[in-house]
Amino acid sequence: MLYELEPEVRDIIVEGRGDKNFFEWFISEEPSNGLVKVYAVSDRVHVPDSDLINNGMITGERNRVLHLSNLLSSMKVSPSSVKLIIDADLSSIGLDPISDNSHLLYTDFSAIEVYAFSERTIFKLLRVGLGAPGHVTAKDLIESIRPALISLFIVRACLRESRIGAKIPTRAIEEIHGCNDPHRAVEEIFRLALDRVPKQKREGVTRESLLANFRELENKISGDSRHFINGHDISVAIIHYLKKNCRSVFNVEGRRELQAAPVMEILLMGLVDRSELKGHPLFLSISSWLMSESRAGSF
């Protein structure tokens, strides 16, 4: 009703408030037609978990946005009035469905945080944010942590698909970044994850079955590694790399707090280069949509 009565109103709806802040920053410097605002889905629309479950979806903000986009499409709301953006997540290995409707946009990589996984952004982090010495390079850092990040991406996929509620233990996430053999670390992660699930609830899932699934999914990894990285793992991996190779960067007052992954992630996302973003299809689509003529939807 809002879009019908107020055709100049234009919304961008995303998963969470961190995403909202990021896209709000991006559009703030883009020319646009209409009154454009960005919202986290739960701040804009009430989509109960029961609706997701009834539609065969896992509960969570991503599927909340996905379900909302399907509803808007079925109600024939004009795509010029609202766009919804979600992480591609596990679609790169065929485990998250892609909904083909004109309201929905996907990140170019697995998650919004992965736009920061570039030499330009990490170079700024090292030099400006952390004051790291010259021998610590963005290229070396990325090449060093990439294998563990990909392994963790597949591990998370295996545990999610097992449907038994197994989670990666925090200690195991930390250990894989310091391990010279990520595959051996994967076995240990699966063991620790299963140990935290009562035997009567494992439904036949074993370490061996998880490893078999891991190898199957690993064969699907090809091309740009940014399609196969969990966004929130990046800051954890960077912290471990720096503690191993240049611990002194955290000794300076004001930088000790950066040893906390959420704080490091905020800094990293704040250093993403705008010119790099504008070269990716998602942001090209957003810029084009902002300049398109706004018009009322028809119900």
Side-chain angles (χ1 to χ4, degrees):
M1 184 66 71
L2 170 68
Y3 301 133
E4 186 177 56
L5 297 177
E6 304 288 346
E8 74 277 11
V9 170
R10 314 181 80 188
D11 289 344
I12 296 175
I13 299 176
V14 298
E15 295 181 40
R17 290 172 183 163
D19 297 343
K20 177 253 186 189
N21 295 336
F22 188 77
F23 285 106
E24 199 169 61
W25 158 72
F26 178 78
I27 71 168
S28 68
E29 297 183 31
E30 290 289 295
S32 63
N33 292 321
L35 304 174
V36 184
K37 287 194 174 183
V38 186
Y39 297 93
V41 62
S42 294
D43 291 336
R44 187 59 164 161
V45 184
H46 176 59
V47 183
D49 287 350
S50 58
D51 283 5
L52 302 182
I53 294 169
N54 291 338
N55 282 273
M57 293 179 166
I58 299 171
T59 58
E61 298 306 274
R62 182 186 188 274
N63 280 340
R64 222 175 296 283
V65 179
L66 177 57
H67 180 58
L68 178 60
S69 76
N70 291 333
L71 287 175
L72 293 173
S73 181
S74 67
M75 295 165 65
K76 302 190 184 306
V77 173
S78 171
S80 69
S81 294
V82 58
K83 285 292 183 182
L84 301 97
I85 304 171
I86 60 175
D87 288 342
D89 275 4
L90 303 179
S91 60
S92 60
I93 51 176
L95 296 182
D96 276 322
I98 298 293
S99 181
D100 185 19
N101 72 62
S102 54
H103 297 80
L104 191 62
L105 296 172
Y106 291 86
T107 54
D108 299 289
F109 309 116
S110 61
I112 190 69
E113 295 82 11
V114 184
Y115 287 104
F117 197 63
S118 72
E119 284 193 36
R120 181 177 294 185
T121 300
I122 292 179
F123 176 78
K124 285 196 289 184
L125 172 72
L126 292 173
R127 297 295 172 266
V128 180
L130 296 169
H135 71 270
V136 181
T137 70
K139 182 178 180 180
D140 288 346
L141 187 155
I142 288 171
E143 290 181 353
S144 177
I145 68 177
R146 183 186 286 117
L149 289 173
I150 294 173
S151 293
L152 282 172
F153 179 84
I154 304 173
V155 165
R156 291 180 187 279
C158 292
L159 293 178
R160 195 193 79 175
E161 291 303 295
S162 72
R163 309 290 183 182
I164 60 172
K167 305 293 183 184
I168 302 179
T170 301
R171 183 169 61 86
I173 295 176
E174 295 174 348
E175 287 180 355
I176 195 170
H177 293 295
C179 180
N180 293 325
D181 182 1
H183 285 88
R184 188 174 63 184
V186 165
E187 293 187 39
E188 180 66 5
I189 289 174
F190 284 147
R191 184 187 70 79
L192 292 171
L194 286 175
D195 282 349
R196 287 158 175 76
V197 179
K199 290 185 178 180
Q200 65 272 21
K201 294 185 178 181
R202 294 182 190 174
E203 300 179 6
V205 175
T206 64
R207 183 171 59 171
E208 289 70 26
S209 67
L210 290 171
L211 286 169
N213 193 23
F214 181 93
R215 288 189 288 269
E216 180 181 342
L217 293 177
E218 191 176 34
N219 290 331
K220 297 183 179 182
I221 305 297
S222 63
D224 194 327
S225 62
R226 289 176 290 183
H227 295 291
F228 312 103
I229 292 174
N230 178 282
H232 297 305
D233 287 339
I234 295 171
S235 56
V236 177
I238 289 174
I239 291 167
H240 279 267
Y241 179 88
L242 292 172
K243 284 183 174 180
K244 180 179 179 182
N245 294 278
C246 188
R247 180 177 287 273
S248 61
V249 298
F250 296 121
N251 292 337
V252 178
E253 187 174 354
R255 293 178 181 153
R256 296 186 182 94
E257 292 80 3
L258 296 176
Q259 296 177 82
V263 179
M264 176 67 78
E265 183 174 291
I266 292 170
L267 172 60
L268 189 61
M269 293 303 291
L271 293 172
V272 170
D273 194 287
R274 183 180 179 79
S275 63
E276 274 196 309
L277 286 181
K278 294 187 73 169
H280 292 298
L282 170 61
F283 292 90
L284 290 171
S285 295
I286 293 172
S287 296
S288 176
W289 176 78
L290 289 171
M291 286 301 295
S292 64
E293 291 298 323
S294 59
R295 59 186 177 85
S298 57
F299 289 82

